[in-house]
Amino acid sequence: MAALDLVTPVLSDGGTWRFPANEPLRLDSGGVIEGLEIAYQTYGRLNADKSNAVLVCHALTMDQYVASPHPVTGKPGWWPRLVGPGKPLDPARHFIICSNVIGGCMGSTGPASINPATGRPYGLSFPVITIADMVRAQAMLVTALGVDTLFAVVGGSMGGMQVQQWAVDYPERMASAVILASASRHSAQNIAFHEVGRQAIMADPDWRGGAYAEHGVRPEKGLAVARMAAHITYLSEPALQRKFGRELQRDGLSWGFDADFQVESYLRHQGSSFVDRFDANSYLYITRAMDYFDIAASHGGVLANAFTRARHVRFCVLSFSSDWLYPTAENRHLVRALTAAGARAAFAEIESDKGHDAFLLDEPVMDAALAGFLGSAERERGLI
């Protein structure tokens, strides 16, 4: 029965919030987006005193469909372990908001959107964005939905970066924060992997300098390779070995360059399925935003200084032992900074061989930790 519950669709609401031209989004780069659109989904109802709202921030390749079927793939929401009936975030108790980040490709303003100044897709004329810009847009949406203060802001990976940015820029608008498998800035290795992906996209002849939409083509091969390279970083060597090892796709070798090994076939499938639901230029812009992310940079290089206004916020930081993309050491560094800033920060490293993607997978210890933290925060706030 529990396995069925994981994929049970949750009743949702949402759509696209269109902001008038006199409410532009001002960007860190100095650019401005007028006529901003943010696509979002909500689950549950806002209570009478508006104290039960939770913002879920998505990772790089996710979107607003955190707990409802995806309209392109038809697959269930991407975080059923966290959001759903009887889960740590329960629509029966919480008003859950999840929006597609700006720069995305599932309805929020991004490089595939129509530039009102030209009547054509933005392409590379879309301004460069940052994690802080994404959060600024989310804050506009939360306000538009009638929420002043969020009970919790929750996210993993790039979503965890957004949670940190919320704690820096809008601490007065949040009571608690959950940061999973994340970091306060990208390592050189992370930037390098992203650059490989971007170069794969831009080397595809169909990229057309970012103007592929106007030519009626898509850089599918380049985007697929970018996804394949990135997907390796989401896994661990033990997980790959356990799942695939050196098993062949068929009897005997092809003595050529077909997908002889099961792991090759798996990666090719990941790449080919990704291009059906994601925009290549969005991949360029969002990965660049992640690379630019560095919470301490604008606070004298001292991470603790970034969180001095968030002393009242309760933090939960979880890492996974086999995550080499955002290793435990990075999460511990964040927790030490939060503690130095005077904030309450609970931390746990969860033993798992699933790699970075563990925060999306079956990890009962994670489920219990999140349920315990959120339940304690709810009791403190008088919500239960």
Side-chain angles (χ1 to χ4, degrees):
M1 194 67 182
L4 291 176
D5 289 344
L6 288 180
V7 295
T8 301
V10 179
L11 292 178
S12 62
D13 197 2
T16 302
W17 197 284
R18 296 173 175 85
F19 290 88
N22 64 353
E23 294 184 45
L25 175 66
R26 303 191 182 280
L27 306 174
D28 286 347
S29 65
V32 175
I33 297 177
E34 296 181 350
L36 174 68
E37 297 185 350
I38 303 178
Y40 69 99
Q41 291 286 296
T42 64
Y43 308 86
R45 295 183 180 276
L46 191 63
N47 61 11
D49 61 0
K50 302 180 179 181
S51 62
N52 69 332
V54 176
L55 178 68
V56 175
C57 303
H58 70 75
L60 165 59
T61 63
M62 305 303 178
D63 48 47
Q64 67 269 37
Y65 297 100
V66 61
S68 47
H70 196 282
V72 175
T73 66
K75 293 182 178 179
W78 53 266
W79 219 358
R81 301 211 63 80
L82 184 67
V83 181
K87 306 298 169 57
L89 294 179
D90 191 334
R93 303 196 319 273
H94 305 115
F95 177 58
I96 303 155
I97 307 164
C98 187
S99 65
N100 186 214
V101 297
I102 59 163
C105 52
M106 283 303 298
S108 292
T109 302
S113 302
I114 300 299
N115 183 345
T118 65
R120 299 193 302 272
Y122 276 102
L124 291 195
S125 69
F126 191 71
V128 172
I129 55 171
T130 65
I131 298 294
D133 295 330
M134 296 175 184
V135 167
R136 204 170 292 123
Q138 290 167 349
M140 292 171 64
L141 174 66
V142 168
T143 299
L145 293 176
V147 176
D148 296 321
T149 303
L150 293 158
F151 160 62
V153 185
V154 181
S157 193
M158 186 185 83
M161 294 178 178
Q162 295 164 63
V163 177
Q164 293 173 63
Q165 196 72 55
W166 265 92
V168 172
D169 293 345
Y170 302 101
E172 72 285 351
R173 299 194 64 180
M174 59 192 296
S176 56
V178 175
I179 302 166
L180 308 175
S182 193
S184 60
R185 65 177 182 177
H186 257 186
S187 66
Q189 178 176 258
N190 291 344
I191 295 171
F193 271 109
H194 275 174
E195 177 63 2
V196 169
R198 288 190 292 263
Q199 288 299 319
I201 291 170
M202 293 187 286
D204 190 318
D206 284 336
W207 184 59
R208 306 288 181 93
Y212 47 87
E214 295 184 45
H215 294 275
V217 296
R218 295 188 303 173
E220 295 182 357
K221 293 180 180 178
L223 180 58
V225 171
R227 171 63 169 175
M228 290 167 68
H231 196 72
I232 296 170
T233 72
Y234 306 152
L235 306 173
S236 68
E237 196 282 330
L240 282 169
Q241 186 64 31
R242 181 183 66 249
K243 192 169 185 177
F244 303 109
R246 289 180 55 84
E247 293 298 316
L248 296 176
Q249 185 68 7
R250 63 185 68 82
D251 292 336
L253 301 174
S254 69
W255 301 107
F257 299 101
D258 290 337
D260 280 346
F261 296 95
Q262 288 184 7
V263 67
E264 293 175 316
S265 179
Y266 171 75
L267 288 175
R268 291 186 186 191
H269 170 72
Q270 289 292 326
S272 63
S273 61
F274 185 62
V275 302
D276 292 330
R277 68 175 179 87
F278 215 86
D279 176 66
N281 282 339
S282 282
Y283 196 87
L284 300 181
Y285 277 87
I286 296 174
T287 57
R288 179 52 95 193
M290 295 175 72
D291 291 345
Y292 281 173
F293 181 72
D294 184 350
I295 284 286
S298 58
H299 294 84
V302 180
L303 187 57
N305 292 347
F307 297 109
T308 53
R309 294 196 302 126
R311 294 188 180 96
H312 68 283
V313 179
R314 290 187 61 172
F315 290 87
C316 174
V317 180
L318 300 181
S319 69
F320 298 87
S321 58
S322 58
D323 184 354
W324 56 276
L325 187 64
Y326 299 127
T328 292
E330 292 286 340
N331 289 268
R332 283 203 176 104
H333 177 61
L334 172 60
V335 172
R336 285 195 292 268
L338 290 169
T339 303
R344 290 179 292 171
F347 170 71
E349 179 190 41
I350 297 172
E351 289 292 326
S352 170
D353 71 352
K354 298 185 179 75
H356 179 65
D357 266 359
F359 80 96
L360 297 170
L361 302 175
D362 182 8
E363 290 291 351
V365 174
M366 177 188 74
D367 299 346
L370 292 178
F373 173 80
L374 291 168
S376 176
E378 284 181 279
R379 286 189 290 274
E380 185 175 278
R381 299 282 292 177
L383 294 178
I384 55 175

